[in-house]
Amino acid sequence: MSIDRTIVDHVARLARLELSDEERDRFTRQLSALLEYFAKLGELDTEDVEPTSHVIEMANVVREDRSGPCLPREAALADAPEQDGGFFKVPPVIETEPQP
Amino acid sequence: MQTARAWDTRYARGGNLPPLAGLPVAVKDVICTTDFPTTCGSRILDGWVPPYDAYVVTRLREAGAVIIGKTNMDEFAMGSSTENSAFGPTRNPWDVSRVPGGSSGGSAAAVAASLAPVALGTDTGGSIRQPAGFCGIVGLKPTYGRVSRYGLVAFASSLDQIGPMTKTAGDAALLLQVLAGRDVRDSTSADLPVPLYKEALNGGVRKLRIGIAAEAFGEGLQADVRHAVSTASRVLEKQGAELVDVSLPTISYALPTYYLIATSEASTNLARYDGVRYGLRAASTDLYSMYTKTRREGFGPEVKRRIMLGTYALSAGYYEGFFLKAQRARTLVRRDFLHAFERVDLILMPTSPTVPFRLGEKVEDPLQMYLADVYTIPVNLAGLPGISIPCGFADGLPIGLQLIGRPFDEPTVLRAAHAYEQATQWHVRRPPLDGATKPPATRSGTSSAGKPPGKPARRSAKQSRAKRSRAKPRRRS
């Protein structure tokens, strides 16, 4: 399984991660080596094997639909990098994200 | 100190005391505390003070424990050496040129060096057991679901578990008693009765069937570690346990399985560090570059590497071949263990394939670093309880013995660990604490030459006997 810089750039975009040129080179190299090793899984016959997402047997966990105590607004905002009028404040959202 | 004094006063008055009254506990910095910042070893959470305590922290406080501080760790618990901390590495108290293991390396080193009598760690692929083994202490990863993760900063949610790091199995039992149980705020915490762990300690290992899998003693296992672990299995056999050969044919696939599942889960869990609600925010004029620049500045290299790997494994076109394939392989690994547990009560293997390695030795080669967890990872995939206890030394460096139990059978795991401690004295040994002097060479183990300089002899006659075959001359530097 080989990975090139185009794939690394695509994945970095998906992960919202800006990489330096040095990191792009390094990750291209290291991820290729790791995926080559991980290809070992191909040896396993998993044809009729169910995937495991969780090891505990668990039915749906439900509770009564009643409101309880929750985090006060001031506490939730206490460590916000920027806030305004009781809200988290962020830079403009609309039409700023370049299309993939 | 105030809290501790208050307990002292109450004790002097003869009042009833909760089980951990006045006990100092160090807490891994991935567990939320309202009175200490919780950084996860990351620049992105530098200085962040959580608005609530984790369930385990609340339980500790209710039991009278005093949280004395937070311990260093690999960033977001990703690593096997505690070198991936944004705040600098932790060193191994037995040899400061070596790593303490990871990711709970700070907790392990703190307990080994007696900075705290007990600590909390977390274990996603070995992060309690591997550093416990490297630092010569006891580390218990409970069954998945035994301890609530409410207030634990998530790494890989289908694998993460909180557990005690202590000097003895008895202390681990004491702490687990306080930590374990159902918590409505963590839907994965099991609604099962919590046994009395302390009562389970005694009783020995007579008639206990202990499985040994040849697959866990193969290529890559250091000779000294193999010898110490085999010797430990014979100690248990001598105490009345029956050693049974079992087969775990798929554990060699556990490492790739784990690194695909854990990184995939991590890549989604760490999406929350976006600079919006807490932690670091990089200056920028638009939202997209706020995300990407914040994450570039805030995350270290290993975290970025794992986010990249996990995002890749989950992305369109690769999901089937990587993530789903790994989840199917996970079923096979778990099946192997459950099949073996039809014939045995415990499975014994090394905690790590090697003794602690040198700082910097594996930093540039992620795969070599990942291989440090080859024996601990399968246990997380299968969701089982596992403990690491000290079982010897090679060149003055600790070796860990791993005992793995059936789901929710922590009592048997603790009982066997306690029995082993009664027959040996490895768990009593402590590193020299001047930071420079290394333990002097001992060849026969019968003299007092093995004791740390300036400290009282701690080895009993029994311990000397146990040590005889393992003692080796130590290189002086």
Side-chain angles (χ1 to χ4, degrees), chain A residues 16-27:
Chain A
R16 298 292 183 268
L17 208 50
E18 185 180 293
L19 300 180
S20 67
D21 281 344
E22 188 272 325
E23 281 174 325
R24 292 167 74 201
D25 284 339
R26 184 152 42 91
F27 287 152

Side-chain angles (χ1 to χ4, degrees), chain B residues 287-345:
Chain B
L287 191 63
Y288 178 80
S289 60
M290 185 192 90
Y291 293 150
T292 58
K293 287 185 198 313
T294 297
R295 291 159 69 78
R296 173 184 181 160
E297 286 176 27
F299 290 139
E302 179 63 19
V303 171
K304 286 179 185 166
R305 186 156 44 234
R306 294 204 194 188
I307 289 174
M308 290 291 290
L309 189 56
T311 305
Y312 176 81
L314 289 177
S315 64
Y318 305 105
Y319 176 84
E320 282 273 341
F322 286 106
F323 184 65
L324 207 57
K325 178 80 184 179
Q327 284 197 320
R328 292 186 204 280
R330 182 175 185 181
T331 305
L332 297 178
V333 172
R334 179 167 157 82
R335 230 182 246 172
D336 270 359
F337 274 100
L338 296 183
H339 184 68
F341 279 124
E342 289 168 12
R343 297 175 52 221
V344 297
D345 303 297

Side-chain angles (χ1 to χ4, degrees), chain B residues 4 22 51 60 64 147 215 217 227 241 244 247 260 288 311 319 321 372 470:
Chain B
L60 286 174
V147 176
E215 292 92 341
F217 291 84
H227 183 88
V244 180
S247 179
L260 286 167
Y288 178 80
T311 305
Y319 176 84
R470 298 289 317 123

